[in-house]
């Protein structure tokens, strides 16, 4: 009887320890925080793929899928991307190319966050309020918000400090569950990375966040919004990040370039700025003729998965891009640009018509 009682006591003690350990792990995981708007890469993957191995993830969301394959804990512990004891010396301790992983913190757990590619994006106006969630109310000594410079390509380039511009630094914020920063992106357009540093107050603890955004209008990435898609489960190995080729040469100018010299007319030319397996990024320049125009519409053949600085409509393989409110009016010989991400063969044959 004593032996049985001893065994029962041991089993009970083990259960208590296991329960306590599980509770500690859950509490530890919830004791951190992250930027929620615009959402960070790891947090976004966690939100949209609450079971990261869900069917369809590989085909519909390759960037989150490669992160899951590299280390699932990076998504489960989306709020634990921080460093300790840096004394505010961020640039000295976070090497170029590792900014999104906090300098490969936690033994490289978040290394996949540094991989360039078609991460899901959040569309933002050029002036917006950044929000950071802090469930444990650590407080904030400051938030520093950087944005990539115009011309940086998040699809093909790893982030370096020289790619960033510091746009705002907040003062100290008392412990609460949400901290904010007012952000002005200036005249930036298209795809960018918003890079946020949160210096917590309770310890010398620095959090780092990469958020993918589109400025100047456009639509969000085609990655799924539902956490439980029903498409068939992938059977092929995890894809590696797309290796971009050298930028493709600009496509030929419109077939009737002389049309831009006509009063009220416009012309359009397209340039593929980067290309990878199965997709590409392109920029279209719209130019007015010898007279001002109040609006424009560009038609071309291709497939658009995401765009900015224009409103897009499709019919089969035909795409129509129409100006948005802020870039329709062009002076004589004036120009503007819009961009998009395409799939398959790069778009061709842009034709412009003026309003």
């Amino acid at each position: 009887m004593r032996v049985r009682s001893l065994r029962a006591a041991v089993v009970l003690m083990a259960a208590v320890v296991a329960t306590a350990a599980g509770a500690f792990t859950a509490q530890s995981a919830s004791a951190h925080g992250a930027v929620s708007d615009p959402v960070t890469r790891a947090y976004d993957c966690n939100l949209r793929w609450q079971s990261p191995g869900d069917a369809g993830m590989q085909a519909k969301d390759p960037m989150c899928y490669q992160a899951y394959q590299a280390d699932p804990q990076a998504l489960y512990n989306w709020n634990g991307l921080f460093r300790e004891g840096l004394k505010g010396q961020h640039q000295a301790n976070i090497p170029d190319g590792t900014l999104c992983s906090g300098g490969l913190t936690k033994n490289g757990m978040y290394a996949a966050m540094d991989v360039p590619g078609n991460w899901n994006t959040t569309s933002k106006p050029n002036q917006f309020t950044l929000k950071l969630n802090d469930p444990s109310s650590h407080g904030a000594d400051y938030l520093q918000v950087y944005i990539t410079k115009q011309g940086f390509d998040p699809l093909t380039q790893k982030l370096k400090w020289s790619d960033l511009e510091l746009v705002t630094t907040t003062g100290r914020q008392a412990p609460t569950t949400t901290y904010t920063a007012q952000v002005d992106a200036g005249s930036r357009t298209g795809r960018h990375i918003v890079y946020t540093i949160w210096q917590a107050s309770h310890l010398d603890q620095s959090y780092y966040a990469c958020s993918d955004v589109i400025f100047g209008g456009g639509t969000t990435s085609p990655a799924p919004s539902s956490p439980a898609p029903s498409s068939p489960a992938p059977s092929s190995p995890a894809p590696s990040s797309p290796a971009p080729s050298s930028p493709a040469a600009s496509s030929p100018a419109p077939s009737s370039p002389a049309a831009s010299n006509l009063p009220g007319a416009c012309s359009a030319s397209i340039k593929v700025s980067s290309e990878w397996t199965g997709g590409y990024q392109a920029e279209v320049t719209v130019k007015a003729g010898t007279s001002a125009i109040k609006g424009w519409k560009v038609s071309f053949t291709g497939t658009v998965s995401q765009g900015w600085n224009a409103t897009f409509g499709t019919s089969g393989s035909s795409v129509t891009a129409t100006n948005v409110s802020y870039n329709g009016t062009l002076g004589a010989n004036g120009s503007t640009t819009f961009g998009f991400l395409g799939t398959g063969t790069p778009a061709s044959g842009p034709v412009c018509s003026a309003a």
Side-chain angles (χ1 to χ4, degrees):
M1 291 297 294
R2 290 182 179 177
V3 172
R4 291 182 180 178
S5 298
L6 180 59
R7 287 178 178 172
V10 170
V11 171
L12 178 61
M13 181 63 71
V16 171
V17 171
T19 302
F24 176 78
T25 301
Q27 291 171 359
S28 297
S30 66
H32 307 309
V35 174
S36 60
D37 187 16
V39 65
T40 67
R41 289 177 172 179
Y43 188 22
D44 183 51
C45 290
N46 179 278
L47 286 173
R48 292 182 300 107
W49 299 99
Q50 294 179 17
S51 297
D54 279 344
M57 185 182 186
Q58 180 180 6
K60 296 182 178 180
D61 202 347
M63 299 313 297
C64 287
Y65 186 75
Q66 63 88 26
Y68 172 68
Q69 292 295 312
D71 193 332
Q73 290 302 314
L75 307 191
Y76 297 136
N77 294 324
W78 53 268
N79 55 3
L81 205 166
F82 64 86
R83 297 280 297 274
E84 293 184 314
L86 300 190
K87 303 183 185 303
Q89 301 300 308
H90 308 296
Q91 295 193 32
N93 289 281
I94 310 296
D96 284 345
T98 67
L99 275 65
C100 295
S101 66
L104 298 176
T105 189
K106 308 292 178 64
N107 297 315
M109 176 191 297
Y110 301 94
M113 301 302 127
D114 293 315
V115 177
N118 188 20
W119 291 91
N120 188 47
T121 58
T122 303
S123 292
K124 283 292 177 186
N126 286 55
Q127 290 78 41
F128 67 94
T129 300
L130 180 141
K131 297 179 182 179
L132 186 147
N133 287 349
D134 177 17
S136 295
S137 301
H138 290 322
D141 286 348
Y142 57 80
L143 301 181
Q144 289 183 344
V145 183
Y146 297 77
I147 306 179
T148 48
K149 299 173 183 177
Q150 193 69 25
F152 175 77
D153 185 3
L155 295 171
T156 62
Q157 297 174 259
K158 282 193 172 184
L159 188 61
K160 304 189 300 295
W161 287 105
S162 60
D163 298 321
L164 294 169
E165 178 186 359
L166 179 63
V167 296
T168 190
T169 299
T170 72
R172 186 181 180 89
Q173 300 187 50
T176 183
T177 57
T178 303
Y179 312 117
T180 61
Q182 300 306 312
V183 180
D184 186 344
S187 60
R188 289 174 174 82
T189 59
R191 179 185 280 265
H192 283 273
I193 294 175
V194 174
Y195 188 65
T196 307
I197 300 174
W198 165 34
Q199 184 68 40
S201 300
H202 71 305
L203 293 170
D204 184 3
Q205 202 169 74
S206 310
Y207 291 75
Y208 303 92
C210 278
S211 304
D212 295 271
V213 301
I214 294 287
F215 290 121
T219 58
T220 56
S221 171
S225 58
S226 171
S230 58
S231 53
S235 58
S236 57
S240 57
S241 176
S245 59
S246 299
S250 301
S251 58
S255 57
S256 302
S260 63
N261 294 322
L262 300 176
C266 62
S267 62
S269 59
I270 188 168
K271 179 181 179 180
V272 177
S273 55
S274 60
E275 195 169 355
W276 57 93
T277 303
Y280 62 95
Q281 179 176 352
E283 181 178 83
V284 178
T285 300
V286 179
K287 184 177 180 180
T290 55
S291 297
I293 60 176
K294 296 182 178 180
W296 48 263
K297 180 168 63 177
V298 175
S299 301
F300 56 89
T301 300
T303 303
V304 172
S305 62
Q306 178 175 304
W308 50 92
N309 290 346
T311 300
F312 293 85
T314 60
S315 177
S317 61
S318 297
V319 179
T320 300
T322 307
N323 66 273
V324 288
S325 60
Y326 52 82
N327 64 1
T329 300
L330 299 177
N333 298 311
S335 64
T336 188
T337 61
F338 67 88
F340 64 91
L341 300 180
T343 57
T345 303
S348 61
V351 176
C352 184
S353 57

